[in-house]
Short mmCIF file of all heavy atoms in Angstrom, two decimals:
data_model
loop_
_atom_site.label_atom_id
_atom_site.label_comp_id
_atom_site.label_asym_id
_atom_site.label_seq_id
_atom_site.Cartn_x
_atom_site.Cartn_y
_atom_site.Cartn_z
N LYS A 51 92.19 -0.68 15.17
CA LYS A 51 91.58 0.24 14.20
C LYS A 51 92.65 0.62 13.19
O LYS A 51 93.83 0.78 13.55
CB LYS A 51 91.06 1.49 14.96
CG LYS A 51 90.54 2.59 14.06
CD LYS A 51 89.19 2.24 13.49
CE LYS A 51 88.69 3.35 12.54
NZ LYS A 51 87.65 2.85 11.64
N SER A 52 92.30 0.77 11.95
CA SER A 52 93.28 1.15 10.93
C SER A 52 93.88 2.52 11.26
O SER A 52 93.14 3.46 11.57
CB SER A 52 92.63 1.19 9.53
OG SER A 52 92.11 -0.06 9.20
N ASN A 75 78.10 2.32 8.71
CA ASN A 75 79.07 3.18 9.40
C ASN A 75 79.81 4.06 8.42
O ASN A 75 80.13 3.67 7.30
CB ASN A 75 80.04 2.36 10.24
CG ASN A 75 81.32 2.01 9.49
OD1 ASN A 75 82.23 2.84 9.40
ND2 ASN A 75 81.37 0.80 8.93
N ALA A 76 80.09 5.27 8.92
CA ALA A 76 80.95 6.20 8.20
C ALA A 76 81.86 6.83 9.24
O ALA A 76 81.87 8.04 9.45
CB ALA A 76 80.13 7.25 7.47
N VAL A 77 82.59 5.96 9.93
CA VAL A 77 83.51 6.45 10.97
C VAL A 77 84.57 7.36 10.33
O VAL A 77 84.95 8.37 10.92
CB VAL A 77 84.14 5.25 11.72
CG1 VAL A 77 85.23 5.71 12.67
CG2 VAL A 77 83.06 4.49 12.48
N GLY A 78 85.00 7.00 9.13
CA GLY A 78 85.87 7.89 8.39
C GLY A 78 87.33 7.85 8.80
O GLY A 78 88.01 8.86 8.82
N LEU A 79 87.78 6.62 9.14
CA LEU A 79 89.20 6.41 9.44
C LEU A 79 89.68 7.25 10.63
O LEU A 79 90.84 7.70 10.65
CB LEU A 79 90.06 6.71 8.19
CG LEU A 79 90.02 5.63 7.10
CD1 LEU A 79 90.47 6.18 5.76
CD2 LEU A 79 90.91 4.45 7.50
N ALA A 80 88.82 7.45 11.60
CA ALA A 80 89.24 8.14 12.82
C ALA A 80 90.32 7.30 13.50
O ALA A 80 90.14 6.11 13.73
CB ALA A 80 88.04 8.30 13.75
N ASN A 133 94.83 -2.05 4.99
CA ASN A 133 93.42 -1.76 4.70
C ASN A 133 93.32 -0.90 3.45
O ASN A 133 93.51 0.31 3.50
CB ASN A 133 92.76 -1.06 5.90
CG ASN A 133 91.27 -0.85 5.66
OD1 ASN A 133 90.75 -1.24 4.61
ND2 ASN A 133 90.59 -0.26 6.63
N CYS A 136 88.50 0.75 2.80
CA CYS A 136 87.50 1.54 3.53
C CYS A 136 86.48 2.09 2.54
O CYS A 136 86.85 2.78 1.58
CB CYS A 136 88.14 2.68 4.30
SG CYS A 136 86.90 3.67 5.17
N PRO A 137 85.17 1.81 2.75
CA PRO A 137 84.19 2.15 1.71
C PRO A 137 83.60 3.55 1.82
O PRO A 137 82.77 3.92 0.99
CB PRO A 137 83.09 1.12 1.97
CG PRO A 137 83.11 0.93 3.45
CD PRO A 137 84.56 1.09 3.86
N ASN A 138 83.99 4.33 2.83
CA ASN A 138 83.23 5.56 3.04
C ASN A 138 84.09 6.83 3.08
O ASN A 138 83.70 7.82 3.67
CB ASN A 138 82.40 5.46 4.34
CG ASN A 138 83.29 5.24 5.54
OD1 ASN A 138 84.32 5.87 5.66
ND2 ASN A 138 82.88 4.34 6.43
N ASN A 200 85.75 -6.36 3.80
CA ASN A 200 85.42 -5.12 4.50
C ASN A 200 83.91 -4.92 4.40
O ASN A 200 83.19 -5.70 3.76
CB ASN A 200 86.16 -3.96 3.86
CG ASN A 200 86.46 -2.83 4.84
OD1 ASN A 200 85.60 -2.48 5.67
ND2 ASN A 200 87.65 -2.28 4.78
N SER A 201 83.42 -3.89 5.06
CA SER A 201 81.99 -3.60 4.94
C SER A 201 81.66 -3.28 3.47
O SER A 201 82.54 -2.97 2.67
CB SER A 201 81.58 -2.46 5.87
OG SER A 201 82.32 -1.31 5.54
O1 RRO B 24 86.75 4.09 9.57
C1 RRO B 24 85.84 3.68 8.86
O2 RRO B 24 84.87 4.37 8.58
C2 RRO B 24 85.84 2.34 8.26
C3 RRO B 24 86.98 1.70 7.81
BR1 RRO B 24 88.69 2.40 7.98
C4 RRO B 24 86.88 0.45 7.16
O3 RRO B 24 87.84 -0.17 6.71
N1 RRO B 24 85.62 -0.08 7.04
C5 RRO B 24 84.53 0.54 7.50
O4 RRO B 24 83.43 0.02 7.35
N2 RRO B 24 84.65 1.75 8.12
#
Side-chain angles (χ1 to χ4, degrees):
K51 174 74 182 160
S52 300
N75 93 80
V77 172
L79 284 161
N133 184 0
C136 179
N138 61 41
N200 209 318
S201 60

